[in-house]
Amino acid sequence: MRPYPGDIVTNPISTKSLIAPWKILDLGDCQAAFCGRLLADLGAEVIKVEPLSGGASRKSGPFLHRGADSEDGYWFRHVNLGKKSITLDLDKRSAWPIFRKMAVWADVIIQSRQPEWFEERGLGYQVLSRDNPGLILASITPFGSYGPRRDYQATDETIAAYGGQTAVTGQPTEPPRPLFGRQTYQTSGLFAAIGILAALDHRARTGSGVHLELSLQAAATAVLEHVLVQYNYDRKIAERTGQAHWNGVFAVLPCMDGFFLLTPFRNWETLTALLAAEEAADDLVDPAYLDPTYRQAQRDHVLDVLAAWTRTKTRAELFELGGLLREPWASVVSPGEVLRSPQLQARSFFTEFFRDDSNQTVVRTRLPALFSGQKVCGGLEVPYPGEHNHEFYLHKLGFSPAELDRFRDNGLI
Amino acid sequence: MLHGIRVLDLSWVLAGPYATRLLADLGAEVIKIQSGRTTSSPEDNQSGYFRTWNRNKLAITLDLDQEEARILFKRLTGLADVVLENFSPRVMANWNLSYEELIKHKPDLIMLSMSGFGQTGPWKDRVAFGPTIHALSGMSGLTSSPHEPPVGPGFAYADMVSGLYGVLLVLAALEHRDHTGQGTHIDLSEYEAMCSLLEPWLAQARDHPNAHFDDSEGHPTGCFPVMGPDRWCALTVRDHKQWRSLCLLIGRSEWADDPEFDHPDKRRQRVAEIQAAISNWSQTLPSEIVVEQLQNLGIAAGLVQNADDLVHDPQLQIQSLLVKEEHPDRGPIYVDRCPVVFNQKPPEPLRPAPTLGQHNQYVFMELLGLSEKELRDYIHRRIIA
């Protein structure tokens, strides 16, 4: 029997929403789209406003292999899950009054261009908020709307660099590197979604909308954890330390089937006793090592001895041992191994479902929390460009079918 | 923005305090509760670490190991909107301060429990710090060079991500309460939070288990040496026009129209050559020249900034996102503000982190209504301690 699109293989999604179905127009580019995904997960109605042929990020791989003309990249899916899509060509003058009508209808507009792009079209915040005083406009740009770098081209690679993340990541013997996974786009999506919820709360109490701005670089700087603390209080400029932890607490060591993260110095006597029982302790049982300063000074030797021991163990063995010892130890795993994590499976973190009537399934995650035991997550689908034009322009904005035809003929939608 | 929201903050170390700091920055009244259990080294009110994560908060002391202190806590819960904690899963239950117990005092309470792996599941009692989560989420293995041992992020990124999700979900739960009258117990897993931000590659692993996982937005992309010790610039070439311009800039015009290089996938096969060519050009130039010349060609480029660069960065300064404060005992301290700016308003002054029990009087007498005698008695008997 052929599967039906949306048929679930494992872990049904929830229909529980946390927030009201706020009407959110999402003009964000691929750097700013994650905010809308989060709000869709929480229960908002998020409508992606795209150029007629769909956004450029639909065309960047890697792709799900689902039909010869499929465009969905994994990144595009991740940041657009659960959204609807309409098209509108905002380069055409006759589209601008349509957008003004949309801005009256909307609760929130998310966008990622500089203010003058909208002002030139008579669609600046001043104008839109006169039409709709409760409107919340969220502007997400690489560096904000003013300052010497406001017009700089940016990617996650360069934002992570300007934001201080790259300087402290990587092997000291190699060039520095950013965090994997376009994290600056996602961190800023979290900050923007937080700002929008705070603004909605403010509006509920005061009736007033707000224009909120977020710089991707500032968001990257805001999650640097110890880097500025060390600068301020130890007058130290943090550097990349490779596998050596920035506080000396952790070490990554090789084992039989990969690598393992452990804490060599946290419970010294227990660890060395364990090694001694397996005749693997070398000189580490020497009382001199009971002095923490001495241990740190001998760090390289300590790690050599430990590595000789870990090389005789599998990650699973060490992970179990870490649990028994109540240590923050961890296996270094690959993405495929994460999918098989017993902890994630026990908490139904992944939903696997059929995307269409082939036998291909896709996986999505729910929000990373349970809410009084229940899961919350948004829709299963990523819309094609303009999929919801009919529903939106006719039923939500109130245009007539004849007007809709005219818009199409004029290349507006 | 969040006027009138009161948070009882039982959290300690990083992920929880980061979340409550952001709530405080957004206008919530955050009451941090400290006790013997929490005032160890990272929670020493005088330490730089504590002072960084706990600005804008109020602080009280309560020895929750004592029954009378727990009664006071429950009375405070009746006056609060949110209780936030990041203990290991048994602690609140052992104190008889579980969600089921606290809603007897505040039926529409929002409780956020942040933990490494969640309140349920086979790993729920495992100890986790940021690097633990990096390793188990795949983040360490992915943030690595292919031929080197795994590295991972150079800071506790997972803790910060968990804090951000915590704030987002608390705000969502508050709205839910305003619309339905119902509270929620939010069971947030830092492990799930970090995995959420790797979803594209987890989904790809499901379909293509042996894929080479790639997050690049073009090729070449990466960091290249510039003049000065350990100084680097990052760049990303995103289309063919940029590739051609780069070739001409770095003195490799023969590559500009060479079909061997005309697609990112082809360029990936020649990554070592391309890196060497770019480095040969960039390493003799100051970073400002490298970035300017690349930006003039429409190529995304930027300086790899360390902490010293950050505090002097004119882009952050001009937007008041990294603010210099003069401290009498320490000299200049650079403070990162909440990066969300509302209505271009100048930022409000930040209140310094509290001293131990600094707001006992305000909270226990003004909010809870204890008399001065009662307060002194509780302090004497080390219940408020």
Side-chain angles (χ1 to χ4, degrees), chain B residues 70-364:
Chain B
R70 297 196 289 271
I71 291 172
L72 286 173
F73 178 81
K74 290 181 205 180
R75 286 175 60 187
L76 282 173
T77 300
L79 302 175
D81 300 285
V82 181
V83 166
L84 192 153
E85 58 94 8
N86 67 339
F87 294 117
S88 52
R90 291 159 292 108
V91 172
M92 293 297 277
N94 287 346
W95 275 334
N96 197 28
L97 295 177
S98 66
Y99 176 70
E100 290 70 29
E101 183 60 35
L102 293 178
I103 55 174
K104 295 175 187 167
H105 301 269
K106 187 78 164 50
D108 62 353
L109 179 71
I110 286 126
M111 182 164 175
L112 171 62
S113 296
M114 300 170 71
S115 62
F117 299 101
Q119 306 288 311
T120 59
W123 295 358
K124 71 178 169 67
D125 293 318
R126 292 192 69 99
V127 179
F129 297 160
T132 314
I133 301 300
H134 295 158
L136 288 168
S137 62
M139 191 57 164
S140 294
L142 291 166
T143 303
S144 296
S145 300
H147 309 295
E148 293 279 330
V151 174
F155 53 101
Y157 179 63
D159 286 349
M160 314 304 268
V161 168
S162 183
L164 290 176
Y165 267 108
V167 173
L168 180 71
L169 300 180
V170 161
L171 295 186
L174 282 167
E175 190 198 296
H176 182 76
R177 178 199 69 178
D178 290 346
H179 289 170
T180 66
Q182 288 181 326
T184 327
H185 184 194
I186 306 171
D187 163 13
L188 172 62
S189 155
E190 181 169 326
Y191 179 40
E192 291 169 7
M194 189 66 257
C195 289
S196 296
L197 302 192
L198 291 170
E199 187 194 72
W201 298 278
L202 298 180
Q204 189 182 11
R206 171 66 182 77
D207 298 336
H208 309 285
N210 298 316
H212 165 67
F213 298 103
D214 186 348
D215 64 347
S216 62
E217 297 175 75
H219 205 273
T221 188
C223 292
F224 300 89
V226 294
M227 196 188 287
D230 200 29
R231 298 301 267 172
W232 305 83
C233 277
L235 67 87
T236 307
V237 164
R238 281 169 296 171
D239 62 31
H240 192 62
K241 178 159 175 273
Q242 290 174 15
W243 167 247
R244 296 190 76 255
S245 306
L246 178 72
C247 292
L248 297 171
L249 179 67
I250 66 173
R252 290 303 210 133
S253 52
E254 72 276 16
W255 286 352
D257 295 306
D258 185 342
E260 293 286 301
F261 292 92
D262 66 2
H263 190 276
D265 289 344
K266 292 184 188 176
R267 295 199 284 273
R268 274 190 196 95
Q269 307 303 317
R270 312 279 292 260
V271 61
E273 282 170 81
I274 295 173
Q275 276 177 353
I278 298 173
S279 301
N280 276 341
W281 166 76
S282 64
Q283 63 197 3
T284 59
L285 295 172
S287 60
E288 305 80 43
I289 303 289
V290 169
V291 172
E292 189 190 333
Q293 291 189 352
L294 290 166
Q295 286 285 348
N296 285 342
L297 298 173
I299 296 173
L303 174 66
V304 173
Q305 301 207 111
N306 61 29
D308 198 55
D309 298 317
L310 286 176
V311 305
H312 296 108
D313 182 349
Q315 186 65 25
L316 295 173
Q317 283 183 353
I318 209 171
Q319 295 171 339
S320 303
L321 290 162
L322 201 55
V323 174
K324 182 173 165 182
E325 294 179 347
E326 286 293 343
H327 281 234
D329 53 335
R330 295 213 176 248
I333 299 285
Y334 297 89
V335 179
D336 63 296
R337 310 193 57 91
C338 172
V340 186
V341 179
F342 298 95
N343 282 343
Q344 297 198 334
K345 265 173 31 184
E348 295 189 14
L350 297 170
R351 293 197 311 274
T355 55
L356 192 62
Q358 180 177 350
H359 301 94
N360 279 344
Q361 189 166 354
Y362 163 70
V363 171
F364 288 112

Side-chain angles (χ1 to χ4, degrees), chain A residues 224-243:
Chain A
L224 282 177
E225 197 252 322
H226 70 279
V227 173
L228 284 170
V229 183
Q230 281 192 349
Y231 185 83
N232 284 327
Y233 294 97
D234 300 330
R235 295 300 173 208
K236 182 179 161 198
I237 299 175
E239 296 176 324
R240 55 194 187 287
T241 56
Q243 306 100 278

Side-chain angles (χ1 to χ4, degrees), chain A residues 251-255 258-262 314-315 318-319 322 329-332:
Chain A
V252 173
L253 295 177
C255 53
F259 289 91
F260 193 81
L261 175 85
L262 45 66
T314 62
R315 288 173 303 160
L318 291 166
F319 190 67
W329 294 3
S331 309
V332 176

Side-chain angles (χ1 to χ4, degrees), chain A residues 33-44:
Chain A
F34 186 58
C35 173
R37 148 76 191 269
L38 290 167
L39 294 168
D41 273 345
L42 289 168

Side-chain angles (χ1 to χ4, degrees), chain A residues 152-390:
Chain A
Y152 267 30
Q153 295 293 320
T155 55
D156 175 78
E157 180 94 52
T158 65
I159 299 287
Y162 272 123
Q165 298 188 355
T166 302
V168 294
T169 301
Q171 297 282 7
T173 51
E174 296 241 318
R177 60 188 313 117
L179 272 57
F180 184 89
R182 304 186 188 175
Q183 296 299 318
T184 65
Y185 298 164
Q186 299 185 75
T187 311
S188 51
L190 281 160
F191 272 113
I194 286 167
I196 288 169
L197 290 189
L200 284 165
D201 176 73
H202 176 79
R203 185 179 79 171
R205 284 179 291 104
T206 67
S208 297
V210 81
H211 181 193
L212 65 95
E213 290 188 72
L214 180 65
S215 142
L216 268 60
Q217 182 204 0
T221 311
V223 294
L224 282 177
E225 197 252 322
H226 70 279
V227 173
L228 284 170
V229 183
Q230 281 192 349
Y231 185 83
N232 284 327
Y233 294 97
D234 300 330
R235 295 300 173 208
K236 182 179 161 198
I237 299 175
E239 296 176 324
R240 55 194 187 287
T241 56
Q243 306 100 278
H245 187 256
W246 50 91
N247 284 340
V249 172
F250 285 94
V252 173
L253 295 177
C255 53
M256 268 174 62
D257 60 346
F259 289 91
F260 193 81
L261 175 85
L262 45 66
T263 46
F265 302 113
R266 209 162 161 259
N267 270 309
W268 181 253
E269 289 174 66
T270 310
L271 187 59
T272 48
L274 225 132
L275 264 62
E278 297 185 25
E279 294 176 5
D282 199 289
D283 68 336
L284 300 188
V285 288
D286 191 302
Y289 282 99
L290 292 173
D291 171 11
T293 320
Y294 182 78
R295 289 204 288 269
Q296 281 289 354
Q298 305 300 317
R299 185 184 166 90
D300 287 348
H301 171 65
V302 169
L303 293 183
D304 282 344
V305 174
L306 281 173
W309 174 69
T310 56
R311 280 198 185 89
T312 66
K313 306 280 179 202
T314 62
R315 288 173 303 160
E317 284 177 286
L318 291 166
F319 190 67
E320 194 186 333
L321 182 60
L324 292 171
L325 297 176
R326 301 195 51 71
E327 292 278 18
W329 294 3
S331 309
V332 176
V333 301
S334 67
E337 290 171 313
V338 175
L339 291 173
R340 298 193 289 277
S341 157
Q343 178 66 12
L344 296 176
Q345 293 192 347
R347 283 169 60 91
S348 304
F349 184 56
F350 298 107
T351 288
E352 186 178 350
F353 60 100
F354 291 104
R355 202 239 175 182
D356 49 37
D357 64 356
S358 71
N359 282 320
Q360 291 253 297
T361 59
V362 287
V363 157
R364 67 153 291 163
T365 61
R366 56 162 170 75
L367 283 170
L370 296 174
F371 301 87
S372 295
Q374 291 185 284
K375 56 202 288 187
V376 172
C377 78
L380 294 178
E381 269 318 310
V382 174
Y384 60 82
E387 183 173 342
H388 302 90
N389 277 352
H390 189 90

